[in-house]
Amino acid sequence: MLPLNPAAALLQAEQALHLAAVSGPSVEVGAAYLAIGAAYQAQQHHEPALRYCMRALRLYQQLRNKPGHVRALRLLGRAQYLQGDTGQAHDTYRQALALTLALQDPSAKALLYGNLGELYGAGEQWRRALRSHEQAYTEWQQAGSLPGQAQALNAIGLAHHQLRQYSRSLYYLRLSLQQAQQLSDSTSTGEALASTGRVYQDVGNYEMAMSFYNQAISQLPQQTPPVRRAAALQSLALVQDSLSYRVAAIRTLEQALPLAQQAGSPVQISAIYQKLASLYQRENNYPQALAALRRYSDLQDSVFAEQRSAQIAELQTRYESEKKGREIQLLLKNRQIQDASLHRQKLLRNAMAVGALLLLLTVAALYRGRREQARINRLLQRKNRAINRQKQELSHLNRTKDTLFSIISHDLRSPLSSLYSMLTLQSIGNLPPERMATHTERLSRTLDVTLRLLDNLLNWSAAQIQGDKARPERIELQTAADEALALLAGDAERKNIGLHTQLPEQCLVSADVNMLRLVLRNLIGNAIKFTPAGGTVTLAARLQQAGVWEVSVVDTGVGIAAPDQARIFGETGLHSTLGTAREKGTGLGLRLCKEFVERNGGRISFESVPGQGSTFRFTLPAAVPEVLPVPPVASGPAIAAAAG
């Protein structure tokens, strides 16, 4: 068994590979390859992990060793999943499962069903994930593995939780907790307790949630990775804050902070500082709030780079997968057409042979051949229409790619050239300080615009590839607005612009959360951009009679000139103007806003008076109040507490 430290695990696996290569059998070489791949996976080095998994797979195939072949496929699928290639990971898992069914190994089948459940859960296919975890639990029962049963029950409970079947979720989590406690397995016990706390938190029973989170943290073993321990403390702090135990929440987050720093996760550290800043501010501890907010702001560049790298990798993988799928479909269609044509020729040849023997049979054969030909022609017409549709989709993807590359090549050339020129002048060393400050400020503005451009380009390209796929959910508009205002507060402060909100207390909308965040961020950012120093930007909302929320962003800026109003949403091409502080736009923001609002069932409009300001309005459907399902299992104190 490899040690928990990934670096030590890698060193031990490399030593095992050396010994196996010198004197050991080939099977041990394959096991060493898999151990090295697993160690690289633990360090999140996915490329070398894939290489060593492929080496082990080829070796086990040459040796005709089916158990090793299955292990190599399962670890390869895990590496593909962690790299973001979920489609290839699904195919690899299915291939491994087919081999495992022939081996009659219930433990191996249980592991693969668990991997498939995790894969489906990452794609939010929770019903398929639930079925996979239930199959894994059945296999663990056949294998007689109590630890495996405890983990499967925990996964089943979490799947019911995602499906908002809270009573069933608590039932299975209680079974998982009982199994783990019987085994004295602190890790499984902690996972079951934390999952139960999460369910109680979602149903609003914060006292029970806090109790379970405290028990889960106390059960965590000493070798628990810092990132998991920090995540558990973050969950506890959120519940404490919901119960107005702000001092306790601050202490909990202060315990989580060094663990997150030890794990080296910028996203987790940034989230802790953001929550600490909010708690310090509500406790009127403004110096600490300011310090936490500064640390949060300093980490945003790292978080932004990490998130954007993940988005770019996901887009690239999705584009390659879809392109490969289209090519395979076209080849299959061509093969079907060829087979149909050969089949038709065979029928005609047989009909002519039969016609030479008897005239009556010739007439019957011709009639039958004519009917078959008509059917094949209809089939060919349907196939041709399908091919034309796929050709149009491929053309759309190519146009999207060409537009994306043309914008990148045009708008990224200027900031990169400016950065190169400035670095050249700095390396020479003869640039006066005042000119260096001027160039630095200009370059900072240019890079800020470039970051906004990349953000909009990524969202636009993802929207073009995904089509009309919006995932609406119940969203508290105040929460989304607070996120957008927090991101843009620095821009407003630099221009001395006041940000105001006039949102009702209960403002629930039904929309895709990522699309709504982009719309709010772009509209508020544009208002700040075109408002001079000393102005104001106001975000408001009102409920219309038709069950629709109308959200408005009002500024006291320079307004929009009459000739530009017809081009403001980019329907006739990209359009951009400079802001009041010479900020440069991307020309994609309002175009994305219009497209995302309409995909969520709303409309967007604006009013503007040059010299007096502008008002942008968009509508979203009001969310239906949530109704908890009737619990199918009516037993146990935990279920009664949840319903309470």
Side-chain angles (χ1 to χ4, degrees), residues 157-226:
L158 289 177
H160 280 297
H161 174 213
Q162 293 295 334
L163 292 171
R164 299 189 177 183
Q165 298 170 354
Y166 299 115
S167 297
R168 294 185 181 182
S169 176
L170 290 172
Y171 171 75
Y172 286 106
L173 290 174
R174 186 169 65 250
L175 292 179
S176 175
L177 180 60
Q178 292 172 356
Q179 292 270 27
Q181 289 175 340
Q182 289 177 4
L183 295 168
S184 299
D185 186 350
S186 59
T187 300
S188 299
T189 301
E191 290 178 355
L193 290 169
S195 301
T196 306
R198 198 175 307 135
V199 177
Y200 280 117
Q201 182 179 359
D202 282 357
V203 300
N205 194 338
Y206 299 117
E207 290 84 0
M208 292 292 294
M210 184 171 66
S211 173
F212 278 99
Y213 279 140
N214 281 320
Q215 295 179 58
I217 293 172
S218 66
Q219 289 291 330
L220 290 176
Q222 293 295 327
Q223 64 270 24
T224 301

Side-chain angles (χ1 to χ4, degrees), residues 72-118:
L73 283 173
R74 189 169 64 83
L75 191 60
L76 177 62
R78 177 69 178 173
Q80 292 166 342
Y81 163 69
L82 293 175
Q83 198 178 31
D85 194 353
T86 55
Q88 189 62 46
H90 181 269
D91 294 341
T92 304
Y93 284 149
R94 282 295 180 185
Q95 184 180 354
L97 186 60
L99 290 174
T100 307
L101 293 175
L103 292 175
Q104 295 297 320
D105 185 355
S107 297
K109 286 191 286 186
L111 289 171
L112 284 166
Y113 280 127
N115 291 137
L116 283 170
E118 180 186 22

Side-chain angles (χ1 to χ4, degrees), residues 301-584:
D301 288 340
S302 299
V303 173
F304 178 86
E306 184 174 330
Q307 292 174 344
R308 289 301 173 263
S309 297
Q311 288 182 359
I312 290 172
E314 180 182 358
L315 285 173
Q316 182 67 25
T317 302
R318 187 179 304 163
Y319 174 78
E320 294 296 335
S321 299
E322 290 187 2
K323 181 180 178 182
K324 185 187 300 181
R326 300 296 184 190
E327 292 173 352
I328 293 173
Q329 289 179 3
L330 285 175
L331 291 174
L332 290 175
K333 300 301 181 185
N334 291 332
R335 179 65 180 273
Q336 291 175 355
I337 292 173
Q338 292 176 359
D339 291 342
S341 178
L342 291 173
H343 183 60
R344 181 180 60 182
Q345 294 175 5
K346 181 179 180 181
L347 288 176
L348 291 175
R349 184 173 61 250
N350 292 338
M352 292 178 64
V354 173
L357 299 176
L358 251 176
L359 181 60
L360 182 60
L361 292 178
T362 302
V363 173
L366 287 174
Y367 176 72
R368 180 183 176 185
R370 195 173 291 116
R371 285 179 50 190
E372 186 67 14
Q373 185 175 2
R375 184 186 69 82
I376 293 174
N377 287 335
R378 289 194 297 271
L379 175 63
L380 289 174
Q381 290 175 358
R382 289 197 297 269
K383 300 299 182 184
N384 287 332
R385 287 195 295 269
I387 290 173
N388 288 332
R389 285 196 301 269
Q390 292 168 1
K391 181 179 178 181
Q392 293 174 0
E393 292 176 2
L394 286 174
S395 299
H396 174 70
L397 287 175
N398 284 330
R399 288 195 301 270
T400 300
K401 177 199 67 176
D402 293 340
T403 302
L404 180 64
F405 286 165
S406 64
I407 293 173
I408 290 177
S409 64
H410 179 271
D411 288 345
L412 290 187
R413 184 183 302 274
S414 176
L416 291 177
S417 298
S418 300
L419 179 60
Y420 177 76
S421 300
M422 181 176 175
L423 291 176
T424 302
L425 292 174
Q426 188 176 7
S427 64
I428 295 174
N430 58 357
L431 192 65
E434 58 276 8
R435 291 191 61 190
M436 176 64 72
T438 302
H439 285 299
T440 302
E441 181 181 1
R442 184 182 303 121
L443 181 61
S444 177
R445 292 197 302 268
T446 304
L447 291 178
D448 180 67
V449 172
T450 304
L451 289 176
R452 296 177 187 270
L453 169 65
L454 287 178
D455 186 32
N456 283 332
L457 281 175
L458 288 171
N459 284 284
W460 175 74
S461 58
Q464 294 299 313
I465 292 176
Q466 293 175 356
D468 295 328
K469 296 179 182 177
R471 298 180 177 86
E473 58 182 276
R474 295 173 70 253
I475 302 172
E476 176 65 50
L477 186 60
Q478 181 67 56
T479 303
D482 289 343
E483 293 177 359
L485 292 173
L487 288 174
L488 298 169
D491 295 342
E493 289 178 0
R494 284 193 294 270
K495 297 182 68 174
N496 192 23
I497 293 174
L499 297 179
H500 306 289
T501 58
Q502 298 177 359
L503 299 176
E505 292 184 359
Q506 294 294 330
C507 184
L508 297 175
V509 299
S510 177
D512 187 295
V513 64
N514 292 318
M515 293 184 180
L516 176 58
R517 288 170 177 166
L518 183 138
V519 170
L520 290 174
R521 192 164 62 247
N522 273 282
L523 291 181
I524 297 173
N526 278 353
I528 295 172
K529 173 183 173 183
F530 293 105
T531 300
T536 60
V537 175
T538 304
L539 176 65
R542 65 184 182 91
L543 184 63
Q544 296 181 344
Q545 294 182 354
V548 175
W549 282 99
E550 181 185 80
V551 185
S552 61
V553 178
V554 184
D555 64 67
T556 60
V558 297
I560 304 172
D564 294 335
Q565 293 186 5
R567 302 184 295 166
I568 200 69
F569 288 116
E571 297 175 350
T572 59
L574 299 181
H575 172 70
S576 175
T577 57
L578 296 178
T580 57
R582 307 297 296 173
E583 305 102 324
K584 185 180 178 183

